[in-house]
């Protein structure tokens, strides 16, 4: 952010602001949604999480039971 503010704006701030209405639209249906973003989009004042909080959404960590069976399948 400090070393290259223009790139930070394009890669983080602008993208998060573009994604915000798309993520909000997912809240308006009965489907379960999964949003995957890079970690840089989840921290700081310009983060997607902060933007949601600023709009009044409650953002919280989901506790996942570490003993759950997880299956990962690669491309075949």
């Amino acid at each position: 952010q400090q070393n290259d503010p223009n790139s930070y704006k394009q890669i983080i701030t602008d993208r998060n602001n573009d994604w915000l209405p798309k993520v909000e639209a997912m809240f308006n249906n009965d489907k379960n949604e999964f949003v995957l973003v890079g970690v840089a989009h989840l921290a700081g004042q310009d983060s997607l999480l902060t933007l949601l909080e600023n709009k009044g959404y409650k953002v919280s960590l989901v506790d996942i039971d570490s003993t759950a069976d997880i299956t990962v399948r690669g491309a075949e």
Side-chain angles (χ1 to χ4, degrees):
Q1 183 178 7
Q2 293 175 352
N3 293 338
D4 192 350
N6 290 330
S7 292
Y8 178 85
K9 181 180 179 305
Q10 288 179 315
I11 295 170
I12 304 297
T13 306
D14 291 349
R15 288 174 76 191
N16 288 346
N17 284 311
D18 288 344
W19 289 340
L20 185 61
K22 295 172 185 175
V23 171
E24 283 187 290
M26 293 179 194
F27 300 154
N28 296 324
N29 65 44
D30 294 336
K31 297 179 183 177
N32 290 326
E33 305 285 355
F34 180 82
V35 178
L36 178 66
V37 299
V39 68
H41 297 280
L42 300 176
Q45 67 183 21
D46 300 313
S47 75
L48 189 57
L49 300 179
T50 300
L51 293 174
L52 288 166
E53 288 176 329
N54 290 343
K55 293 197 83 174
Y57 293 99
K58 180 181 177 192
V59 176
S60 61
L61 180 64
V62 174
D63 185 21
I64 298 175
D65 182 4
S66 63
T67 63
D69 291 330
I70 298 173
T71 302
V72 177
R73 297 180 186 225
E76 295 180 14

